[in-house]
Amino acid sequence: MRLRFAPSPTGQIHVGNARTALFNWLMARGAGATFVLRVEDTDFARSTKEAEGSAIDDLRWLGLSWDEGPDAGGSHGPYRQSERLHIYRAHAVELLSKDQAYHCFCSEEQLEMDRYQALRNMQPPKYVGRCRNIPRAAARARIEAGEAATIRFRVPDGDREVAWEDLVRDRVAFNTDVIGDFVMVRSEGVPAYNFAVVIDDALMEISHVIRGEDHISNTPRQLLLYEAFGWRPPRFGHVSNVLAPDHVKLSKRHGATSVGEFRERGYLPEALANYLALIGWSPGENVELLPLEELARRFRIEDVGKSGGVFDPEKLAWVNRHYLKVAAPERLVELTLPFLRQHGWVAASAAARGRDSGSGIRDAKVLDFLAKAVGIAAQSVDRLDQVPARLHFLFDYSAQMSLANPAIRGEATAARAVIAALADELAAAGPLADKETFRAVAGRVREKTGAKGKALFHPIRLALTGEQEGLELDLAVPLIEQGAAVRHAGIRAIFSAADRTAAFLHELEKPVANA
């Protein structure tokens, strides 16, 4: 068994295409088969090496690997269509020599008029056969005279059915009277999709083609080509499109649609891959959160649903939250650093001495602190680009900015006694290194002021974090103190709990300027 995924490097990989790649990979790995990556880069105007590299990088990021491909080699190469043009030319000549193809000299204007007339007459638009019977010698003379021509496949005469047993949709059939002679090779010598893909799949010995339902109408044309060459066609399976929540095909107007965009927003690769596998398919046993290897063991293409699968951002967030909670803290630091650096909290030079986590940070105290901070914040977010909002109180604390908020100033003014007592206790106590130490200080403030519950802890939150809500104080306060103990040029200085409360009280006691 041999399967393939064949992206066109004209942009980022859409999640629908990524799911198709994943289904092929799951089927191949589950059966111990060969998985091939082929690059369909004959759209020379739009294909770029950068897009090819990005596609390969995104597929690898998702956890997919291949046995043969442009970067892996193999015995069925080349694996880029742009490097196989001589192969397509030879096969076009073969069909021309057998009179199963012919040169077409129709202009785009003529073809457009034919399409218009067919639609006007409520007929399926197809080639009218204007050049079908031009003698080969006459066609050759016109080409030698400089006239541009495409090469069309000659659909066999007669009204016949072209059918196949689809691995997803059961039997699918088309009649040749709606197909028409189609272009195999364009006038500039570039093979059309249906021609190139048949030659590639046949010569690469692809046994199963799993692709999107938008290719269903291509399949009868491809089956006719397999028949013309005398090749055995692969088994076809056409999976449904990935739909948006409004049940139309997922597009950019619905938000992020490419693997790269989800990656940039801080989704984990194992989460996105796991979720994509669940669109239109279920691993069974009421279990959904599974690693790729187990998904591959359970995957059966016959179990994939025929109807469109809806891309649900909320469910993706749920899956991602699970993987964030079980991810190693050091790995989360590595993945979150770009977002922290965007806020200017961690410098690119935050690499000095000690161990290296893979994040580039080799100072043990910095790494330990960031691992703890990111690990705590990641427990309450959907994706990693939301982590900075949870850590704003650490790196961007400003008593002045906080008290510029009338609601915070009003509450703090009413609870001045609590804040003053907290400042006195912290001035006398050491760092609040753990939950117990913090609770002990809070207990002494309660004894001094009589405040308790929200009346006690909310003013404390305002003074220590500058925010009205956020992480639990039992987690936030020790984190503040650990961060204050870190002195490194590559990380923004963090004020201690004592310094914060003193600054907050000082700012609170300043007269408020009249508006």
Side-chain angles (χ1 to χ4, degrees):
M1 182 186 291
R2 290 171 60 85
L3 296 97
R4 52 76 167 171
F5 177 63
S8 297
T10 57
Q12 293 188 314
I13 291 186
H14 186 278
V15 290
N17 292 332
R19 184 189 64 151
T20 299
L22 177 62
F23 280 0
N24 277 279
W25 186 91
L26 292 173
M27 187 171 176
R29 292 295 178 256
T34 300
F35 182 54
V36 178
L37 179 70
R38 185 173 73 228
V39 177
E40 297 185 343
D41 60 346
T42 52
D43 185 344
F44 297 121
R46 298 171 60 219
S47 296
T48 67
K49 286 294 183 183
E50 291 77 15
E52 178 185 320
S54 175
I56 289 175
D57 189 38
D58 282 344
L59 291 171
R60 291 199 186 282
W61 177 79
L62 278 173
L64 307 188
S65 60
W66 37 94
D67 307 293
E68 301 174 24
D71 59 338
S75 58
H76 294 75
Y79 294 94
R80 292 186 183 91
Q81 286 188 338
S82 60
E83 299 170 3
R84 299 172 62 82
L85 298 180
H86 61 291
I87 299 174
Y88 308 131
R89 282 194 292 268
H91 285 81
V93 169
E94 178 182 339
L95 292 186
L96 285 168
S97 68
K98 296 191 296 185
D99 203 32
Q100 291 177 305
Y102 59 90
H103 288 98
C104 174
F105 300 91
C106 294
S107 67
E108 282 298 320
E109 291 76 15
Q110 286 176 312
L111 297 173
E112 186 58 39
M113 181 59 69
D114 291 342
R115 283 190 286 268
Y116 171 77
Q117 289 294 344
L119 293 172
R120 185 177 180 182
N121 296 327
M122 302 184 70
Q123 298 292 324
K126 65 177 184 177
Y127 182 58
V128 298
R130 184 178 294 106
C131 298
R132 203 171 204 261
N133 297 315
I134 296 175
R136 290 174 61 191
R140 190 179 307 113
R142 292 174 68 171
I143 292 170
E144 290 174 354
E147 194 169 350
T150 61
I151 300 176
R152 287 185 181 272
F153 179 76
R154 189 187 300 275
V155 174
D157 292 325
D159 185 6
R160 56 170 287 197
E161 186 180 68
V162 181
W164 71 96
E165 287 295 325
D166 198 277
L167 293 168
V168 176
R169 298 171 183 279
D170 303 322
R171 190 175 190 274
V172 182
F174 286 78
N175 198 287
T176 54
D177 66 357
V178 300
I179 296 176
D181 298 348
F182 53 89
V183 172
M184 296 183 346
V185 182
R186 299 185 182 92
S187 58
E188 63 272 23
V190 177
Y193 168 77
N194 282 318
F195 184 60
V197 75
V198 166
I199 294 170
D200 291 342
D201 284 342
L203 298 186
M204 293 182 184
E205 301 182 275
I206 300 301
S207 63
H208 293 71
V209 172
I210 310 302
R211 57 191 181 185
E213 64 181 339
D214 45 334
H215 286 289
I216 290 176
S217 62
N218 289 324
T219 307
R221 294 168 175 80
Q222 294 171 16
L223 287 171
L224 290 172
L225 285 167
Y226 278 105
E227 180 182 285
F229 284 115
W231 294 332
R232 181 180 178 178
R235 299 289 308 278
F236 290 99
H238 293 89
V239 299
S240 64
N241 287 326
V242 175
L243 304 179
D246 58 0
H247 291 268
V248 299
K249 192 172 181 180
L250 187 68
S251 65
K252 288 186 179 296
R253 71 181 180 86
H254 297 104
T257 60
S258 71
V259 172
E261 288 173 301
F262 286 102
R263 183 177 179 178
E264 290 171 1
R265 293 185 180 194
Y267 289 92
L268 298 185
E270 59 268 38
L272 184 58
N274 191 161
Y275 175 66
L276 290 177
L278 302 177
I279 302 178
W281 175 74
S282 170
E285 300 178 12
N286 294 317
V287 178
E288 293 187 310
L289 302 173
L290 293 168
L292 279 177
E293 294 73 16
E294 180 60 19
L295 290 170
R297 190 185 70 81
R298 298 183 182 213
F299 186 79
R300 299 290 182 273
I301 188 64
E302 296 81 4
D303 297 333
V304 174
K306 297 180 179 66
S307 59
V310 174
F311 190 94
D312 182 356
E314 291 302 318
K315 185 163 185 179
L316 172 59
W318 171 74
V319 175
N320 202 53
R321 285 194 296 271
H322 164 76
Y323 284 103
L324 286 175
K325 288 175 181 176
V326 299
E330 291 79 8
R331 180 181 173 225
L332 291 180
V333 170
E334 179 184 352
L335 296 174
T336 309
L337 269 179
F339 305 115
L340 301 182
R341 285 174 174 149
Q342 286 173 10
H343 284 73
W345 297 343
V346 179
S349 61
R353 58 191 180 277
R355 72 184 191 274
D356 187 349
S357 69
S359 62
I361 294 178
R362 292 189 292 273
D363 185 283
K365 287 187 72 174
V366 173
L367 181 58
D368 287 344
F369 166 65
L370 290 178
K372 184 174 181 181
V374 171
I376 289 173
Q379 302 301 302
S380 57
V381 298
D382 292 340
R383 55 185 194 267
L384 292 176
D385 68 347
Q386 296 171 341
V387 165
R390 305 293 287 171
L391 298 181
H392 183 272
F393 76 96
L394 275 177
F395 296 100
D396 278 341
Y397 178 85
S398 168
Q400 182 179 9
M401 292 293 293
S402 296
L403 288 166
N405 182 330
I408 291 179
R409 176 170 286 277
E411 183 177 352
T413 299
R416 185 194 176 286
V418 172
I419 296 169
L422 177 65
D424 291 342
E425 288 296 327
L426 291 177
L432 308 182
D434 50 45
K435 177 176 71 174
E436 290 71 23
T437 308
F438 165 64
R439 287 280 176 168
V441 167
R444 291 196 292 273
V445 172
R446 183 183 64 242
E447 292 172 0
K448 283 185 175 181
T449 63
K452 53 187 177 181
K454 183 177 180 180
L456 172 67
F457 285 104
H458 207 254
I460 291 177
R461 173 181 293 281
L462 297 179
L464 294 180
T465 71
E467 298 176 349
Q468 294 173 295
E469 57 185 20
L471 295 180
E472 294 179 21
L473 289 176
D474 287 346
L475 299 173
V477 175
L479 207 53
I480 289 170
E481 300 290 46
Q482 184 179 352
V486 173
R487 291 291 182 266
H488 192 284
I491 184 170
R492 181 176 292 182
I494 294 172
F495 298 112
S496 69
D499 289 341
R500 288 167 180 242
T501 309
F504 195 89
L505 184 61
H506 176 73
E507 192 67 31
L508 181 64
E509 292 178 339
K510 286 183 178 180
V512 180
N514 292 326

